Amino acid sequence: MNPRGQQAGSPRPGAAVKRPTVQDVAREAGVSPSTVSRALHTRGYASPEVRDRVRAAADKIGYVLDHNARNLRSRTSTSIGVLISDLRNPFYADLAAGIEEELRAAEYQMVLVNDNGDPEEEMRAAETLLAMRVPGVIVTPVTAACPRILQDNGVHVVCADRELGRSGSDVVLSDNKAGARELTEHLIGLGHTRIGLLIDETKWSTGAGRLAGFRAAHADHGLEVDENLIAFTSFDADAAQQTTRRLLNEQHVTAIISANNVLAQGALAEIKDRRLKIPRQLSLAAYDDVPWMSLVQPALTTVDQHTVDLGRAGARLLLSRIRGELPARRRIVRVAPRMIVRGSTGPAPTA
Amino acid sequence: MNPRGQQAGSPRPGAAVKRPTVQDVAREAGVSPSTVSRALHTRGYASPEVRDRVRAAADKIGYVLDHNARNLRSRTSTSIGVLISDLRNPFYADLAAGIEEELRAAEYQMVLVNDNGDPEEEMRAAETLLAMRVPGVIVTPVTAACPRILQDNGVHVVCADRELGRSGSDVVLSDNKAGARELTEHLIGLGHTRIGLLIDETKWSTGAGRLAGFRAAHADHGLEVDENLIAFTSFDADAAQQTTRRLLNEQHVTAIISANNVLAQGALAEIKDRRLKIPRQLSLAAYDDVPWMSLVQPALTTVDQHTVDLGRAGARLLLSRIRGELPARRRIVRVAPRMIVRGSTGPAPTA
DNA sequence: ATCGAATGTGGCATCGATGCCACATTCGCC
DNA sequence: GGCGAATGTGGCATCGATGCCACATTCGAT
């Protein structure tokens, strides 16, 4: 197509350009508006000949569809809401990138909202998306109220990365338990018995799963978990550094697992400050592989969640749901994580 | 507000819930639809008393505005298009995050599209945004055609991060020349005279500015630039690693400046492979500070572009433009970068 | 030749909110 | 007390595309 291709007089922008409508195209092509609509958008009949004629006419006068009019009439929209906590965190950025890729391929648009992990912002965003009449939303929920209000208003919801209560909505998850278990096992295999776990929350399935995996690996090897080694912190790098400091000061640990990429920054900062030799003096591993982890020296052993795939899977799931291709029952998609062993983990120091 | 707050019967999602309209609110509040519109959305008169009554009624029956209908009628929209190359690159993610923050505060929505640096995708996206009747777009343009077609259709455009031809659109830029000059000067001050510049493009103002700054710093110090030290590569980390390898093999350099964060990954990877001691054997500096650069050992000396601020500034600029608060003349906003000296740069080795 | 189905196109109402104007009321002021 | 202005509300048309149905045409089969 070629919106206003030729006589581009560059009206000063914002000067409410009068755009051609289906009526104009109809006149130009010598058919009715209804036919134009059918011819351009492949629903309903239109002879190939007419199709071409209409397309040519549309092209000629620079016709561009009006989504608002279409959405209003057909009571649907091709905009999908994506509600995440923090675009600056590579995890969410990758998730959004995967979603966007899939949506774009299906000719949907992504309306992206950051809620900063704040329930109020999240609710506000949900209302906005409701007002936009989006057919679906992908959300990393802060509160169960958000998916609920959306669903109550007929919007399809896919929760990504975490499960919140029994919302009944579709979910895409990383298999957190399996990933954490594998990572923990890897360390146990290297002879570590005192492994610290740096973690920020366990009320969502994300943290809960990782903690469960940590415990399961211990159990598998007949090891008891010293509860003092589970170090709770808040979700930011500075706090994680403090907590790491406390952990190193107060407990004898030979390895640390950080439950996500942000906490890993804090742990690594503290290790740098103390000039600890990795992995000789301490092994460090992290859940959620992000690019910097392979750039540091030594590179970090991690669990790659395939975050982009997670996003893609979420988008695909949502689209199938919207198209009515799925049975009523909620669907849970699990994306298998993959451990990547790098240089930051090694044999436990022989004390 | 409280969309369908009470009798939430959770109709299965997607089941085209019949939502209340202004008509319904009007009936409930005992006023006319026109009055409801005025009362809810603060334009035009409505007595405080009526306002409250209407609000209460809307709340009671769970009324949610329909953006599509509003947009159609009023021929505007509160969705803003944001067109970037790659959300997974922290530069673009930060830019988008800054934009989103500012838009959200102004009650606008962000429609985010990745164009992968592909002119065709970019054009497709532009058409979609046109179809959505967005009042403005923020774009890191690949092609001048994209801003132009948008402007020709009455859409306000702000170009971010780079200037493309004389499009006449508003721009927000990092002061690339100043930043690169400062960084180069820093190295020259440390005694380096053979500084390699790893750069991917100079046809956009971004690369061109950085190259100009590199040259300017040399000129300031009466040094001639050996053109062989300007190493062109393509925009990905692997290519940058190859190029770095070539640069190190073929030229005698004591310092390398990478023109952006992606190229820096490649340079660092090569340096790691060679086990070069930084900064003793080689100094490394990068334009565009991203989080991993302070996590590696030693941390990288960089130029922080204040990318989030750049995004915020772009969004503010666009919104003022949309509101008609700006004179017709195009505006260029420059965000001053800031050099951050860390451990990766040191005195030139005394050969 | 006639009828019925298939095929393709046009007419018209409609989605929901709002811009614009007319009108009813109240109030102030001479 | 009367008149004009100020104030607040309702009526109606409208934005642009499309769903639905009716209808015109063509074609094949008996």
Side-chain angles (χ1 to χ4, degrees):
Chain A
M1 306 202 206
N2 172 25
R4 300 182 69 78
Q6 43 289 94
Q7 83 289 33
S10 254
R12 75 188 164 300
V17 178
K18 174 65 184 168
R19 296 179 184 171
T21 73
V22 271
Q23 309 282 348
D24 301 319
V25 178
R27 201 175 316 116
E28 182 73 26
V31 294
S32 75
S34 315
T35 303
V36 171
S37 174
R38 280 184 308 244
L40 290 180
H41 307 298
T42 351
R43 48 167 90 263
Y45 290 113
S47 65
E49 183 200 6
V50 169
R51 274 221 146 86
D52 289 346
R53 191 144 44 93
V54 171
R55 284 221 188 93
D59 232 43
K60 179 167 171 220
I61 66 177
Y63 169 75
V64 181
L65 172 70
D66 187 317
H67 273 187
N68 293 314
R70 186 224 280 264
N71 293 347
L72 173 60
R73 177 64 239 244
S74 59
R75 248 139 353 155
T76 58
S77 150
T78 53
S79 292
I80 296 292
V82 173
L83 202 40
I84 60 178
S85 292
D86 176 20
L87 196 49
R88 305 190 57 191
N89 179 332
F91 171 76
Y92 293 107
D94 284 2
L95 189 71
I99 293 170
E100 195 274 344
E101 184 186 322
E102 206 69 43
L103 292 184
R104 180 156 38 85
E107 313 212 55
Y108 277 73
Q109 292 78 48
M110 173 172 82
V111 177
L112 187 67
V113 187
N114 254 6
D115 60 32
N116 299 318
D118 173 359
E120 272 186 48
E121 282 289 349
E122 189 186 37
M123 269 322 227
R124 221 190 315 284
E127 288 219 24
T128 303
L129 295 170
L130 240 34
M132 297 179 79
R133 297 295 195 253
V134 299
V137 170
I138 300 179
V139 54
T140 56
V142 177
T143 286
C146 169
R148 209 187 44 236
I149 203 176
L150 289 167
Q151 289 181 155
D152 285 353
N153 282 274
V155 176
H156 292 290
V157 174
V158 168
C159 292
D161 175 55
R162 43 194 188 241
E163 207 177 355
L164 227 58
R166 313 251 100 233
S167 67
S169 57
D170 295 320
V171 203
V172 284
L173 296 170
S174 168
D175 191 338
N176 292 297
K177 183 171 174 187
R181 183 183 211 147
E182 190 178 2
L183 195 56
T184 310
E185 211 144 57
H186 163 69
L187 288 169
I188 293 175
L190 287 168
H192 296 272
T193 54
R194 293 195 56 83
I195 306 169
L197 177 66
L198 196 57
I199 192 164
D200 61 325
E201 60 81 25
T202 54
K203 60 179 200 296
W204 296 337
S205 65
T206 317
R210 293 176 195 177
L211 177 55
F214 179 79
R215 290 192 193 280
H218 281 80
D220 289 348
H221 290 261
L223 293 171
E224 205 163 318
V225 174
D226 179 347
E227 298 295 326
N228 293 314
L229 298 185
I230 299 173
F232 285 94
T233 184
S234 59
F235 185 67
D236 81 272
D238 287 338
Q241 176 162 7
Q242 304 293 335
T243 308
T244 304
R245 185 172 308 152
R246 214 158 25 76
L247 189 63
L248 290 171
N249 286 341
E250 300 174 6
Q251 302 292 331
H252 170 67
V253 297
T254 61
I256 291 181
I257 294 178
S258 126
N260 64 51
N261 80 67
V262 173
L263 305 186
Q265 285 183 37
L268 190 59
E270 179 62 17
I271 288 168
K272 257 180 84 168
D273 283 0
R274 295 186 175 224
R275 306 197 187 292
L276 288 174
K277 292 286 173 251
I278 292 183
R280 200 138 35 88
Q281 298 172 279
L282 183 75
S283 285
L284 177 65
Y287 206 102
D288 190 11
D289 186 52
V290 298
W292 67 260
M293 294 181 177
S294 50
L295 292 168
V296 297
Q297 187 70 281
L300 260 53
T301 292
T302 60
V303 174
D304 179 359
Q305 315 195 56
H306 303 298
T307 312
V308 178
D309 287 335
L310 201 67
R312 287 196 196 103
R316 274 198 304 270
L317 180 55
L318 182 60
L319 291 175
S320 324
R321 190 58 89 185
I322 288 171
R323 295 180 184 129
E325 300 165 357
L326 262 36
R329 204 173 154 284
R330 73 189 289 228
R331 176 157 300 188
I332 302 181
V333 173
R334 269 177 220 284
V335 175
R338 189 173 57 100
M339 180 169 69
I340 303 175
V341 176
R342 301 200 184 94
S344 70
T345 49
T350 51
Chain B
M1 306 202 206
N2 173 26
R4 301 181 67 77
Q6 44 288 94
Q7 84 288 35
S10 254
R12 76 189 163 301
V17 178
K18 175 65 184 166
R19 296 178 184 171
T21 73
V22 271
Q23 309 283 346
D24 301 320
V25 178
R27 200 174 318 114
E28 181 74 26
V31 294
S32 75
S34 314
T35 302
V36 170
S37 174
R38 280 185 308 244
L40 289 180
H41 307 299
T42 350
R43 47 168 90 264
Y45 288 114
S47 64
E49 182 201 6
V50 168
R51 276 222 142 86
D52 289 346
R53 192 145 43 94
V54 171
R55 285 222 187 91
D59 231 44
K60 180 166 170 223
I61 65 176
Y63 170 74
V64 181
L65 172 69
D66 186 317
H67 273 188
N68 293 314
R70 186 222 281 261
N71 293 346
L72 173 59
R73 176 64 237 243
S74 58
R75 243 118 24 130
T76 58
S77 151
T78 52
S79 292
I80 296 292
V82 173
L83 203 39
I84 60 177
S85 292
D86 176 19
L87 196 49
R88 304 189 59 192
N89 179 330
F91 170 76
Y92 293 107
D94 284 1
L95 189 71
I99 293 170
E100 194 272 346
E101 183 186 323
E102 205 69 43
L103 292 184
R104 180 156 37 86
E107 312 212 55
Y108 277 72
Q109 292 79 47
M110 174 171 81
V111 177
L112 187 66
V113 186
N114 255 7
D115 59 34
N116 299 317
D118 173 359
E120 271 186 49
E121 283 289 348
E122 188 186 37
M123 269 323 226
R124 221 191 315 283
E127 287 217 25
T128 303
L129 294 170
L130 240 34
M132 296 179 79
R133 297 294 195 256
V134 298
V137 170
I138 300 180
V139 54
T140 56
V142 177
T143 285
C146 169
R148 209 187 44 234
I149 204 177
L150 289 167
Q151 289 181 154
D152 286 352
N153 282 274
V155 175
H156 293 289
V157 175
V158 167
C159 291
D161 176 54
R162 44 194 188 242
E163 205 177 358
L164 228 56
R166 314 250 101 237
S167 67
S169 57
D170 296 320
V171 203
V172 284
L173 295 171
S174 166
D175 192 337
N176 292 298
K177 183 171 175 186
R181 183 184 212 146
E182 189 177 3
L183 195 56
T184 310
E185 209 145 57
H186 163 68
L187 288 169
I188 294 176
L190 286 168
H192 297 272
T193 54
R194 293 194 58 81
I195 305 169
L197 176 66
L198 196 58
I199 192 165
D200 62 326
E201 60 81 25
T202 54
K203 61 180 200 296
W204 296 336
S205 65
T206 318
R210 293 175 196 178
L211 177 56
F214 180 78
R215 290 192 193 280
H218 282 79
D220 289 348
H221 290 262
L223 293 171
E224 205 161 319
V225 174
D226 179 347
E227 298 295 326
N228 293 315
L229 298 185
I230 299 173
F232 285 93
T233 185
S234 60
F235 185 68
D236 81 273
D238 287 337
Q241 177 164 7
Q242 305 294 334
T243 308
T244 305
R245 185 173 309 153
R246 215 160 24 74
L247 189 63
L248 290 172
N249 286 341
E250 299 173 6
Q251 301 292 330
H252 170 67
V253 297
T254 60
I256 291 181
I257 294 177
S258 126
N260 64 50
N261 79 67
V262 172
L263 306 185
Q265 286 183 37
L268 190 59
E270 181 61 18
I271 289 168
K272 255 179 85 169
D273 282 0
R274 296 187 174 224
R275 307 198 187 291
L276 288 174
K277 292 285 172 255
I278 291 184
R280 201 137 34 86
Q281 298 172 278
L282 183 75
S283 284
L284 178 65
Y287 207 102
D288 190 12
D289 185 53
V290 298
W292 65 261
M293 294 183 177
S294 50
L295 292 168
V296 296
Q297 188 71 282
L300 261 52
T301 293
T302 60
V303 174
D304 179 358
Q305 315 194 54
H306 302 298
T307 313
V308 178
D309 288 335
L310 200 67
R312 288 195 195 103
R316 275 199 303 270
L317 180 55
L318 182 60
L319 291 175
S320 325
R321 190 57 90 182
I322 288 171
R323 295 180 183 127
E325 300 165 356
L326 262 36
R329 203 173 156 286
R330 73 187 290 228
R331 177 157 299 186
I332 302 181
V333 173
R334 268 176 220 286
V335 176
R338 189 173 55 101
M339 181 170 68
I340 303 175
V341 176
R342 301 200 185 95
S344 70
T345 49
T350 50

